[in-house]
Amino acid sequence: MAQRLDAWTAVVRPDGSAVRASVPTPPAAGEAELVTRGAAERSARGVRSAVFEGSGSAALLFALDEEPPNGGRAPGGGRALVAVLARPYPPGAAGLLADAAVPLALSLRVEDAEQRHQQAALAESRAREAVLHLLMNGRVSTAHQIAEALTPSLPDPFRMYVVECRAGRREAVARRCRELTDGRAWVVRCPVYVRHLIVLAPTTSPIAAPRPIAVPRPAAATRPAPVPRSAAGAGYDPLADPLADPLAEALAAADRECLIGVSDEGPLRDSQEAYTQAFHALAVARGRAERYACFGTGAELALAAHRPGAAWAAALLAPLHAYEPKRPQDPGGEELRATVHAWLNFSSHATRLLKIHRNTLATRLRLVETVLGLDLARLSDQSALSLALRLTPRGVPAPADPGGDLDDVLAHPDVVRWAAGHLAPLTAPDAPPGARETLRAWLRHDTQLVPTAAALGISVPGARKRLTRLEALLERSLLQSPSARHDLWLAHRAEDLAGA
């Protein structure tokens, strides 16, 4: 239009500001004032077209937004197509602008609809993320209320799946997951890791036949897909194989670049534990041809330590639970607990989960250190706090008798038996040479790779490779958070106390 009429042409709002313009440079001062006045008057009068003439130019305006019903505001805010032409302007200019306004208005409405769709999708994604936060914090009832408005209902009991896919493929994999579970799975984009999906699937969900997702990739990266065990024979029974999971198999068969970690079956109130299990299983899946793994069997520390450690944990966290901020806008004890819990699980990535700045995270952690008298730079204090958080629900009052310190808890026979089972793979026949020494050095240096490598006399990449092999051996994630480092430190401490 600008070339055809030799004029400055734009889409403007009612206040005269340009949404889009033919050239960035606005018209001269007098013409800009003419556009501003014309746009405001046309919008105020509610007319579809108007001409406003100045000393040497004229502004022709044509409405682009449809008149809203019942006198409401137009969806686009009363936008108009405007052209500023020198007087006298060509007689056909008005007709040309009127004709152009029709497809332009349609194009803008399509853009508005796409924008509203994106906003709705973002709102739904954030709402699903909020449901996940509620589940992780044990607020199952509130999570159910929000989930009912979004559909599907939250499955209970359920299995949790952490699905790692190639960047940009999360939406396609999420659709496939919903298809495979007949829309019964609750699928959430991980707020921490941009390549992860978190799936809550009912344990009785029917699995549809997998249909491959077309993923373009270089020929060098191709490899034969493993044959799903569900297709290995007509008599296959998934329940007969404790390591088989039909949904994980179907997802792996549908997308050859997916890795899947699967938790044990459990109730929704154990969502935090289920996520940790699935994340550990994902670390194991990276080394398997099937590209998925189920969480290995074994007692949980929280179960073994609950009887001897509940009173100790409540006493340790009592100052945090009772903390009252000096200013209303500062975080209270509950928010500080959620912050340090997220940091222990996700380290610096907790900022993504909590939607706070890294400086805010650092300030809150320093406050937690002051309130509890801990040094969170030390793995020992991190491990003690991690165990206490798992053993103590919110609002539990401090007992009159805490019943001893952490060493007393770890020396209990139930915890010692758990520690022996937890560390048993390190001395198994298939354990790599120096497995125990590598792990002890890593824990002794607060899981820092550089001093660990120096203590072992190897390079940093060499230390990383050793720890990666230990992930497969222990069936736990070590290098990525949530990591098993806290449980491993506690297990070694319990073992040392038992041998003392």
Side-chain angles (χ1 to χ4, degrees):
M1 295 301 300
Q3 293 175 352
R4 186 80 172 268
L5 297 174
D6 190 23
W8 183 81
T9 312
V11 175
V12 296
R13 302 181 182 91
D15 62 0
S17 60
V19 179
R20 302 215 178 120
S22 55
V23 292
T25 306
E31 295 175 343
E33 183 181 349
L34 183 65
V35 170
T36 301
R37 179 171 59 86
E41 289 192 22
R42 187 209 63 81
S43 180
R45 293 178 183 178
V47 296
R48 302 294 298 169
S49 61
V51 178
F52 295 88
E53 296 185 346
S55 57
S57 59
L60 283 67
L61 295 99
F62 291 83
L64 295 173
D65 293 318
E66 292 183 345
E67 290 296 327
N70 303 324
R73 185 173 179 179
R79 294 167 298 189
L81 172 64
V82 60
V84 179
L85 302 96
R87 296 176 56 194
Y89 54 84
L96 186 61
L97 287 166
D99 291 341
V102 176
L104 181 57
L106 180 60
S107 175
L108 288 174
R109 286 198 292 273
V110 170
E111 288 186 0
D112 290 343
E114 290 178 350
Q115 185 178 18
R116 286 193 295 270
H117 175 74
Q118 292 173 359
Q119 290 172 344
L122 178 61
E124 180 179 345
S125 176
R126 294 288 173 83
R128 289 182 180 275
E129 188 179 315
V131 170
L132 182 65
H133 286 314
L134 290 169
L135 289 174
M136 295 293 191
N137 290 313
R139 301 174 185 267
V140 178
S141 177
T142 308
H144 270 299
Q145 293 174 10
I146 300 175
E148 288 298 324
L150 298 173
T151 68
S153 299
L154 288 170
D156 195 4
F158 78 109
R159 279 192 177 89
M160 188 174 290
Y161 300 74
V162 175
V163 184
E164 183 176 276
C165 48
R166 189 162 59 88
R169 298 294 302 169
R170 284 204 299 187
E171 188 55 42
V173 175
R175 283 197 304 269
R176 184 53 44 83
C177 186
R178 287 189 284 265
E179 292 172 3
L180 289 170
T181 59
D182 196 24
R184 297 173 63 197
W186 184 270
V187 184
V188 186
R189 293 188 177 199
C190 178
V192 177
Y193 296 109
V194 297
R195 297 176 57 197
H196 286 189
L197 283 170
I198 300 173
V199 180
L200 285 70
T203 56
T204 59
S205 179
I207 306 302
R211 178 168 51 86
I213 300 175
V215 180
R217 63 191 187 283
T222 60
R223 63 176 180 178
V227 177
R229 279 176 274 186
S230 55
Y236 174 73
D237 179 9
L239 298 178
D241 185 351
L243 298 181
D245 185 274
L247 177 56
E249 286 188 353
L251 280 173
D255 191 328
R256 296 181 179 182
E257 296 187 352
C258 272
L259 296 168
I260 306 106
V262 188
S263 76
D264 287 338
E265 177 182 341
L268 281 173
R269 65 176 178 270
D270 294 338
S271 295
Q272 178 67 56
E273 179 183 332
Y275 174 76
T276 303
Q277 291 179 353
F279 196 90
H280 288 321
L282 179 65
V284 178
R286 294 189 179 99
R288 291 188 173 175
E290 296 90 342
R291 304 194 311 283
Y292 81 90
C294 299
F295 183 72
T297 57
E300 290 294 323
L301 173 58
L303 294 176
H306 186 270
R307 185 161 62 92
W312 160 82
L316 176 66
L317 293 176
L320 187 63
H321 291 158
Y323 175 76
E324 293 291 340
K326 295 179 180 179
R327 301 183 302 171
Q329 64 268 32
D330 290 340
E334 184 174 347
E335 193 169 359
L336 290 175
R337 176 188 170 113
T339 299
V340 73
H341 196 188
W343 177 76
L344 288 170
N345 282 332
F346 295 105
S347 188
S348 60
H349 295 308
T351 55
R352 301 178 189 172
L353 181 67
L354 300 171
K355 304 296 187 291
I356 58 176
H357 192 271
R358 64 177 183 271
N359 292 342
T360 304
L361 175 63
T363 300
R364 290 185 184 180
L365 292 177
R366 286 194 296 269
L367 181 55
V368 170
E369 288 180 318
T370 301
V371 171
L372 296 180
L374 299 176
D375 181 1
L376 294 181
R378 298 173 55 199
L379 182 60
S380 57
D381 283 5
Q382 293 177 24
S383 303
L385 183 54
S386 173
L387 178 59
L389 289 168
R390 284 178 277 173
L391 294 179
T392 311
R394 286 183 182 81
V396 173
D401 180 14
D405 58 12
L406 177 61
D407 281 354
D408 294 322
V409 176
L410 297 179
H412 191 276
D414 289 348
V415 180
V416 172
R417 281 193 295 272
W418 165 83
H422 202 62
L423 300 176
L426 296 173
T427 53
D430 59 341
R436 180 177 286 273
E437 291 74 15
T438 298
L439 188 60
R440 277 194 174 273
W442 185 60
L443 296 173
R444 190 167 55 251
H445 292 91
D446 295 327
T447 66
Q448 301 297 312
L449 280 176
V450 173
T452 299
L456 294 172
I458 58 177
S459 65
V460 172
R464 187 184 297 276
K465 288 180 181 178
R466 286 193 184 185
L467 291 169
T468 301
R469 288 194 292 268
L470 291 183
E471 288 184 330
L473 178 69
L474 295 168
E475 298 188 352
R476 299 292 188 274
S477 173
L478 300 181
L479 296 172
Q480 271 194 303
S481 296
S483 166
R485 62 186 183 275
H486 301 134
D487 281 7
L488 289 169
W489 185 92
L490 293 165
H492 276 93
R493 181 60 181 163
E495 183 183 61
D496 292 342
L497 292 171

